[in-house]
Amino acid sequence: MKSILSLCLMLLCWTFQSFSPHQATTYDIVVYGGTPSGVIAAVAAAREGARVILLEQTRHVGGLNTSGIGTAESEHMIEETISGLPLEFYQRLGKFYGINGPTFYFESHVAEKTFLDLLKEANVTVVYDAFVQSATKRGTTIQSITLTNGNRYTGSVFIDATYEGDLMAKAGVSHTHGRENREQYGESLAGVRFIDTPIDASPYDDKGKLLPGFVERSTLTEGQASDRVMNYNFRLMMSTHTDRRPFPKPAAYNPKRYLLLTRLLKNHPETKLRDIIDLYAWNYPKGKFETNNKQKAVISLGHFGGIVDYPEASYSRRKAIYDDHKAWTLGLMYYLANDPSVPDALRQETASYGFSADEFTDNENFPYYLYVREARRMIGAYIQTQKDILDERTKPDAICLGSHWIDSHHVQRVAVSKTQFVNEGRIWESITQPYEVSYRAITPKPNECTNLLVPVCVSASHVGFCSLRVESTWMQLGNSAGIAAAMAFRQKKAVQQLATSELQTNLRQKGVIISVNHQTWNGTKDIK
């Protein structure tokens, strides 16, 4: 009996060590950030035979696809351009839902299971709850990274797949955030933009003081540069089912934050919930809804002015911004469902919803990730701009296709008079043909770092980024980054020294669509 017990203890110890991140600190490929792009990059590299570790900051992989965004955004892009491993992901989702083929609409918990299945099958080691603290370099090569939990990982090639680009920044790679002016890259869509109709609502409080989150019109000029980024919000999953979780009252609840809403409802008591937030039913089970900030609403889920310093902020400051956005969001929903100033019809309508009981079950049914639409952007070997989307669509070193509309949510709220304000920064430019994305857009300048790839905080202007910044496109960039990283490891080359033709051949063999014939493209499937 004693020998059996000893054997069991030995096996238990071996099992723990096999899965402990402390045992093996050296990997061929180190992927930082378990976003959809990061998961796909890790799996793609592992399928090439590399030993891969995926380091995720939260307790869950999948980024926004497992935090409330249940679409590939295919309604505003050419879905036939989705290829390779990302297409396999959507096909697996289709199989789960009993669809013969891919589905581009899905539930967050289903997406997370699918991501985890891919990682497990590829034998990717996953570490949770840790942020990059520092990067150690020798010349232009990252030797290792140290996390906030004290763990240190060495690797031959690193991939930064986070929404914020923290590894990129700590590795000394040039980057920026915000918006360029129109002249910098010759972009007609760049800079500060006043294209929306002013909203009839006073941006001042009862004492004549500008409300939080607003700026004065006199400080802004059309087309000028701005260091502010698109507003963020949480993508709540809501339900009308009997097991829904009622909107809780946040500890920091302050109804005065919603003064604009109070004024709106007093003047327009007929207002409905869909006038305030966007509700998407997609192909979800009946009674389940995805939500989003409503662009033209007087007030919505977007917390304007709450993210001014987010892109370069410390982790503690970002946590405070996250908590503030959460308090804003919970407070808004609680206000609508409970405040006596809300008309009865709207209050009852809001109370008929709650948080979906089958999502984010270990987080009080609240999303794990804040929707960081845009933070840092790398200034890399090639900068993707407006002309690369609308005019010069081909690239000699193409690694995937993009096709989503150029989509920037509003950036800031601007007081234009004592009685009106305008939401500034919107871009919504349609695309009818796909464009090729350069490999150089995910590689740093060779004099800055030679073993790092950046498929999310990609090298692009604000306008260029506004088409690339959807999960399905980031996944395609991650797929190509993972394959390129494995090649660079095998060949012991800098990522910038890979033979483009060899990389493209490998991508094609993996089913990745990398080029388009512009002369015959007709918006269907004329791609190769």
Side-chain angles (χ1 to χ4, degrees):
M1 177 64 72
K2 185 175 180 179
S3 60
I4 295 176
L5 180 59
S6 299
L7 178 60
C8 289
L9 288 172
M10 289 175 60
L11 289 172
L12 179 62
C13 183
W14 176 86
T15 302
F16 173 77
Q17 291 176 349
S18 295
F19 292 96
S20 169
H22 295 284
Q23 182 194 5
T25 59
T26 300
Y27 289 83
D28 304 331
I29 312 294
V30 177
V31 181
Y32 180 63
T35 62
S37 180
V39 172
I40 295 299
V43 173
R47 287 185 177 184
E48 294 290 293
R51 282 198 318 136
V52 182
I53 186 169
L54 176 64
L55 308 174
E56 164 56 18
Q57 302 100 313
T58 73
R59 301 188 309 274
H60 298 267
V61 298
L64 266 297
N65 277 163
T66 56
S67 279
I69 293 184
T71 172
E73 310 283 358
S74 60
E75 67 274 16
H76 296 122
M77 67 187 297
I78 302 166
E79 64 183 37
E80 292 86 2
T81 61
I82 300 173
S83 63
L85 185 50
L87 180 59
E88 179 186 332
F89 169 74
Y90 296 118
Q91 288 170 334
R92 287 182 177 224
L93 291 173
K95 184 177 181 180
F96 176 88
Y97 288 111
I99 297 171
N100 184 23
T103 181
F104 300 114
Y105 302 96
F106 47 88
E107 297 164 278
S108 288
H109 68 277
V110 178
E112 182 171 12
K113 180 183 182 304
T114 306
F115 283 132
L116 290 172
D117 287 345
L118 286 167
L119 290 166
K120 182 178 180 181
E121 292 166 14
N123 293 317
V124 173
T125 301
V126 182
V127 173
Y128 296 93
D129 272 328
F131 296 78
V132 61
Q133 185 69 38
S134 62
T136 301
K137 291 175 68 178
R138 177 179 297 170
T140 60
T141 302
I142 300 173
Q143 297 291 304
S144 66
I145 62 174
T146 301
L147 304 185
T148 51
N149 62 8
N151 288 350
R152 184 168 170 267
Y153 298 96
T154 62
S156 295
V157 183
F158 292 78
I159 297 174
D160 185 341
T162 60
Y163 295 121
E164 295 86 2
D166 290 325
L167 174 55
M168 168 189 73
K170 290 184 184 299
V173 172
S174 297
H175 57 273
T176 187
H177 68 271
R179 296 174 287 174
E180 298 85 0
N181 63 35
R182 290 178 182 171
E183 290 74 30
Q184 183 167 346
Y185 297 118
E187 298 173 305
S188 63
L189 301 175
V192 170
R193 291 169 54 82
F194 291 103
I195 66 170
D196 287 293
T197 304
I199 295 172
D200 291 321
S202 175
Y204 296 86
D205 65 19
D206 295 336
K207 296 180 180 180
K209 183 180 179 181
L210 195 65
L211 290 170
F214 284 85
V215 298
E216 297 279 5
R217 176 66 175 87
S218 59
T219 64
L220 301 172
T221 302
E222 186 85 21
Q224 76 179 62
S226 167
D227 64 356
R228 293 198 174 192
V229 297
M230 287 178 266
N231 79 90
Y232 303 167
N233 61 270
F234 285 102
R235 299 295 289 260
L236 306 176
M237 291 303 303
M238 289 174 21
S239 169
T240 57
H241 298 162
T242 56
D243 65 350
R244 66 184 181 275
R245 182 170 179 265
F247 301 120
K249 182 179 181 179
Y253 178 62
N254 179 9
K256 292 181 180 179
R257 300 187 86 177
Y258 313 106
L259 177 60
L260 278 176
L261 183 54
T262 303
R263 291 172 174 172
L264 167 71
L265 298 178
K266 182 178 180 180
N267 295 327
H268 297 280
E270 75 284 0
T271 299
K272 298 184 182 304
L273 185 59
R274 288 181 182 270
D275 297 323
I276 299 171
I277 65 174
D278 277 331
L279 289 162
Y280 308 139
W282 302 134
N283 293 334
Y284 295 136
K286 187 176 180 180
K288 187 173 183 179
F289 303 88
E290 178 183 330
T291 67
N292 200 1
N293 180 63
K294 194 172 188 68
Q295 293 279 3
K296 295 185 178 181
V298 171
I299 190 171
S300 190
L301 295 174
H303 180 19
F304 285 91
I307 58 164
V308 175
D309 57 339
Y310 185 91
E312 298 287 351
S314 65
Y315 297 136
S316 60
R317 174 60 185 147
R318 286 189 192 153
K319 177 62 165 57
I321 292 172
Y322 176 100
D323 290 341
D324 184 41
H325 276 69
K326 184 174 182 179
W328 167 271
T329 306
L330 292 176
L332 175 64
M333 300 313 300
Y334 181 84
Y335 177 96
L336 287 167
N338 296 278
D339 197 279
S341 67
V342 177
D344 288 343
L346 177 57
R347 194 163 66 245
Q348 291 174 17
E349 180 191 6
T350 306
S352 72
Y353 292 86
F355 292 138
S356 184
D358 62 349
E359 298 291 1
F360 327 126
T361 55
D362 61 347
N363 199 44
E364 298 181 323
N365 307 114
F366 195 83
Y368 311 117
Y369 262 86
L370 177 63
Y371 188 7
V372 177
R373 291 184 169 91
E374 172 189 37
R376 294 185 180 102
R377 300 188 307 277
M378 180 170 66
I379 302 175
Y382 185 86
I383 299 174
Q384 180 99 1
T385 66
Q386 180 177 323
K387 65 177 173 55
D388 297 296
I389 298 170
L390 301 179
D391 301 311
E392 301 172 12
R393 296 188 179 95
T394 61
K395 296 291 175 291
D397 58 345
I399 55 171
C400 70
L401 297 182
S403 66
H404 194 273
W405 291 16
I406 304 175
D407 175 17
S408 174
H409 276 236
H410 291 120
V411 174
Q412 56 192 340
R413 291 189 146 169
V414 183
V416 295
S417 72
K418 292 296 183 182
T419 60
Q420 288 185 323
F421 72 88
V422 65
N423 291 326
E424 180 274 314
R426 184 76 167 119
I427 306 175
W428 188 236
E429 189 79 9
S430 65
I431 291 177
T432 58
Q433 301 183 62
Y435 56 88
E436 300 170 5
V437 183
S438 167
Y439 176 56
R440 289 164 291 160
I442 68 170
T443 62
K445 297 172 184 176
N447 66 324
E448 292 183 348
C449 193
T450 51
N451 66 333
L452 175 70
L453 294 168
V454 186
V456 175
C457 294
V458 63
S459 179
S461 67
H462 168 74
V463 177
F465 190 80
C466 286
S467 174
L468 295 168
R469 66 164 194 89
V470 293
E471 301 293 354
S472 55
T473 303
W474 277 333
M475 288 165 70
Q476 294 180 91
L477 288 165
N479 187 29
S480 297
I483 292 172
M487 290 177 61
F489 162 69
R490 282 198 308 269
Q491 298 176 15
K492 295 181 172 53
K493 287 184 176 179
V495 294
Q496 295 90 348
Q497 293 177 345
L498 287 182
T500 300
S501 59
E502 186 179 348
L503 172 60
Q504 291 175 326
T505 297
N506 197 353
L507 293 173
R508 288 191 182 98
Q509 290 174 347
K510 302 300 186 302
V512 178
I513 300 170
I514 63 172
S515 63
V516 57
N517 185 339
H518 293 289
Q519 300 303 312
T520 58
W521 174 258
N522 57 15
T524 56
K525 294 186 179 181
D526 195 7
I527 48 183
K528 62 181 180 179

